[in-house]
Amino acid sequence: MTLSSYRLGVDVGGTFTDTLLLDETTGQTWRSKTPSTPQDQSVGVLNGINEILDKIPSGSDISLDIVNHGTTVSTNALLEGKGAKVALITTEGHKDVLQTRRSQVPGGLASWIIWKKPEPLADLALTVEAPGRIGSDGVEVRPFDADVFTKRLEAIISAKPEAITVSLLNSFANSSHEQQVSVILRKLFPNTSISLSSEVLPEMMEYERTITSVANAYVEPKVSLYLRNLIKSLEGKAKTLRILRSDGGLSSPSLASRFPVTLALSGPAGGVTGVVSAVADQTKFKNLVTIDMGGTSTDVALIENSVPRIRRETHIGDLVVKAPSIDVRTVGAGGGSIARVPDITKALRVGPESAGAVPGPACYGEGAEATVTDANVVLGYLPKYLLGGTFKLDINAARKSVQKVADSLGIGLYEAAESILQIANETMYGALRLVSVEQGYDPRDFSLVAFGGAGPLHANSLGKLLQAWPVIIPPSPGVLCAWGDATTLLRHESSMTYIRVIGETSKEEIASAFDSLKEQVGDIMRVEQNVPTEKQVYKYQADLRYLGQAIIVSVNIDASEFKAKGLRYIQKLFEDEHKRLFTYSLSSDVEIMNLRIVAEEVKPDLTIKKLEVATSPVVPESAITGRTTLVYAAQEFDSPIYNRLSLKYGHLVEGPCVVTEMDSNTVILPGYKAEVDAVGNLLIWEKENAAQFDVDKAGNELNAGTVDVFENALRNARNEMDTLMTSATMSPAIREQVDEFNVIAEPSGKMLAGQFGSFIGQFLDNWKGTIEPDDIFITNDPYSVGGAISHLNDWLVLMPVYVNEKLIAWTSNFGHMTDNGGSVPGSLPTAGISIFEEGIQIPVTKLASKGVWNNALLEVLFRNSRLPDWVRADTAALVASCKLAAKRMIELYTRFGDKVYFDAINELLDRNKKAISSLINTVIPENPVYFEDWIDDDGRGVGPWKVACTMTKKEDGHLSFDFSETDPQSSSSINYYLSSNMFKMFVGIYLITVYDPHTVVNDGFHDLVDFYVPKGTILNPCRPAALSTRTHLLGRIMDLLSGLLGQKAPEFMTAAGFSDSPHFMYSGFKPNGDWFQLYQIGFGGIPARPMGDGMDGHCLWPAMKAVPNEFLEHYYPLRIEEYNTVVDSGGAGFMRGGNGQRIFYRFLEEGEISTHDDRWLSKPWGVLGGEPGARSSKTLVHYAEDPANPRREILPSKMDHIKVSEGDVLEWITWGGGGWGDALKRDPALVALEVHRGLISLEGAKRYGVVVKPDFNVDEEATKMLRGEMSVVKTNVKPEIFNRGGTWEEWKAKALVETGLPAPKAPWEVKMRGPHTGLPHIRKWMEKHGQLPQGWSGLNGKVH
């Protein structure tokens, strides 16, 4: 008799712990589902094990051979903020690496108003700077000073950190300083966990390496303790415990304890590996997309040839760490997702907010708000009892909750329920496209596998959307994760940074590197995972990119093919993958970034028990456990409910029906059928009559759900465009700082999705030629498109979208090219007198005509750039993104049909119009509102330049913005051609964001906004006025909007701090003759807002982020000596303004730099009692002249052709955000904490009326006294809405003393000349300021 061998899979979820026991000899399985025990997950695990062993004869005597465990201990610690107290060791000058988090604010244009920045996992108060420096090439620049470092550690010893992370700059290239730091730490903190970034993630990009290493340290104590306790609890019950990793492999407890960040997504990984084992390994279906739908969210993934796709990062909530994980994408659509109808837009929203387990859906008996589960109940998709009949649903409560939604929309109960499901399905469909279409895969070549408690309810509908057949429902889909845990394999990987251009390395060097990695990973598998060498298999991988790209593309390398074909083989793998992902390849050099070997144990043969064969495909009546009235496409169907356990191999189940089992329910829709295969999978197929039940085209009439589905589809298409652009472009301005903006428009040019307003309408107003299918247009000329783009660096591509010769849409995208020719590298002269200095001007022209490319034009364009390869790549990406969006619009048109397609467009436009109209009527004050702000100077010593606007609510319900008081255009390059459509879009986004941030803002409301900017002013200049420094006015418009909208509407009242986007350029030749050219956008302090403090050193422009310093140091001859925020630069207030940014650039080659900045004299204003933020400054320290006593040169805010020498340092300091509210009301304890964190100084705390002791505690008595004194002073001063910190007269008088720079001359003190001076209103301005005699006619120089 053969003895049984048992392996157990355990998956811990938020509500239940699932266990699955497999007898490896017979293939028999047992399952259990027991309540999870969040306070100690091991209790729930042991309960599950005991329950499942009770189901087996003599189970108490069985010792499990293997327990494979998927745990959420790591995940929960990160999501709940309940990890260890972590100290962080950084390179000196870089302590704020987690505080600034690459400066990114996620979301759309005004998302900074409502976004709450998460607290860093390692507190700034526990951050210590290590003296010493490693260069990007791994060479030591300054030695590590052990004595100084040891002294600095005294600041955190008393805090008793539970874990310490060491993450030093360029440690991926040389870890010696991290090792020296580690030696000292282990002496001073002998019982504290130490994580070294060079061990956790030895790859370039300092923030990603630091956050990953800190996250590792943050969860390590909790994970280690949990695993130690679990091992002890399993004594006598199990021989071997293994832990599931995020990449679907298993790890020994010792490795899992050392690298717990690799476990963060082990839950979703278990489900995907379960699909591999239950479906890919057991059926002919090897290419699969998976959907795991639970109560709060849905996870989707892709499996190709039985192998899940892996990505090199893991997303946990707002946190992104660089740890390998199965490429699982998560969206906020689950059974508990709440359906609601915002009053402003009257749009149906579903998720991401969830009812959770408590109170749960209304049908669970506690909740009141309608959820996706309630919609399923109303439509008859769920039986009255769940969990094998043990849990009764409250049908009436579900109907009542959904009826509230129906009433808000003015529709019927069933239409509301179907609309809820349509929107939830569309959200999941968008996620499924992320892992398939966006990765270059055609979902029609895949089958959809659905699992989780709610996945099978939606599977049929999603299969129809995706056209991925069959849709497969594995047995016991609710515990599939446990099955995956039970059947997956031990795995480990080793990688190394290997930065080489393919043409500059050799096959032998790469082979040697792979041999070293193979030895390293093999030893770990053998020693720590107990896998003999002969039981190991290896996968060879490389991460590559085109030289200059930021995105890396991973390829799997066949060792024998590489040995035979060498480097050409690797390059072809990369180019093929790039073309699949982004639709094109380039002729640029290919660069290897990382090499990697993944080792796995050899897969064992597992016996899977087969189902009994049915004698007939007809399912017997005995399998029917009840009936339901199933509603689909507004029709009611009397439908059977089948017991899945009664189904046999070969049974055919006809829809409409429900198949129920203990842990899930499967809906088979009208027009579909399900086959039962040998291992118990349900295979759902489309029947010939399926089309007659098509919801999207049901009755060919628009319904509420269709409109919101359409809106979601537009959002997804826009996101796909952004993803392609930021992945494939070369220019750091686009790929890292996301300086690209796209638009999808209807045929007349009205924007349906976008952020910067439609470019199409202004293009159509000016274009006089033909428009035909497969035409592609290009321009960079602001004067040709009414300011739709605002300077020559922005290249705009436009594409008409046709179906059968009918124009159905437009797609367009512009991106900032790093160089466009012109008088200065970067094409952004700070003091240009005309647009002719700014580079090549491309009038609106056809890049392709009816699909035929104008290659001669392309060559002219590329020839006029100092970086032709970058421009070539970025132009290709712009075109590819427009083609991608065009494809999506054609799919929408085909899916919904002509009438519904255009009806949905019109409804979305009308919905936005009604929403904005409502906001104008309810939140905009009746009386006119005036606001003005200034640009400090124009780069030629002239300023300030006033931008002024009066906002008026008119009797016809329109909102008027009149810029008549704005100054005339400058003879320099600060002019900004403010597009009417762009400004209106800014207004709409600001208004909508506060009330319904999920809305896709479009042009529907534009005729409600009246916009007037006089010709010849700095916001509407006459050609050929220069525009290259327009970024400061663009930012100032944002501050101006806050000033206008917020004066009488507190929800819009933010302080100033949008201010501008400071630019930095550095260029020259390297010793080898190679040209280098850097263009970088800097960031500053975010304004304080009604909902919280402004963020420190962040960016307000949507999704922009800082270029990694290690990237800069590797590719450019400079070193970033300091990258921190500026203490005390944020305005004091009840809400503190964000601190500005301090960057010290040390130049390693002579060259030229340019600086673009503002707010060097004026200050970002505070509001409602808040103080203004600090000014910006730029100082060049000439170390090359005298290293011991260098000359300090204060630079103007805007200047080109600044010569720098090797060793010189640019001290770059940006503005702080203004404060909001009375600083004396801010919590003193919070002020003290920020002093401890180095964000406020001891002296700066007194601006808040707080006295902080040297030990960072509040001096209560002194604080009470100081606040009392300051309150008396404040009561004697009339409060102002805006606190600018002075007047222009005061600032000018003190300019030289306070800034080191002379005050600018007023615009009227300099003779004004240009094409605008003949305009009547400009002549009046000139007369007013004494530039013309009274009565000057401008004709023949005569006075009349």
Side-chain angles (χ1 to χ4, degrees), residues 1017-1034:
T1017 62
I1018 53 174
L1019 294 179
N1020 188 8
C1022 298
R1023 190 175 186 276
L1027 304 170
S1028 53
T1029 321
R1030 99 291 183 234
T1031 183
H1032 312 299
L1033 270 172
L1034 173 56

Side-chain angles (χ1 to χ4, degrees), residues 394-406:
D394 188 335
I395 308 296
N396 288 331
R399 294 175 68 91
K400 184 178 179 181
S401 68
V402 176
Q403 187 64 55
K404 291 179 184 177
V405 173

Side-chain angles (χ1 to χ4, degrees), residues 188-206:
L188 294 177
F189 302 90
N191 300 314
T192 303
S193 168
I194 312 291
S195 290
L196 304 185
S197 75
S198 53
E199 294 179 354
V200 175
L201 184 69
E203 296 180 8
M204 180 190 285
M205 296 184 30
E206 70 280 358

Side-chain angles (χ1 to χ4, degrees), residues 1060-1074:
D1060 61 78
S1061 297
H1063 293 357
F1064 167 65
M1065 276 77 81
Y1066 171 42
S1067 60
F1069 286 97
K1070 297 179 182 178
N1072 64 359
D1074 289 344

Side-chain angles (χ1 to χ4, degrees), residues 1000-1022:
V1000 177
V1001 181
N1002 60 46
D1003 284 1
F1005 68 91
H1006 278 201
D1007 60 359
L1008 296 175
V1009 179
D1010 298 331
F1011 171 78
Y1012 175 67
V1013 181
K1015 189 73 174 175
T1017 62
I1018 53 174
L1019 294 179
N1020 188 8
C1022 298

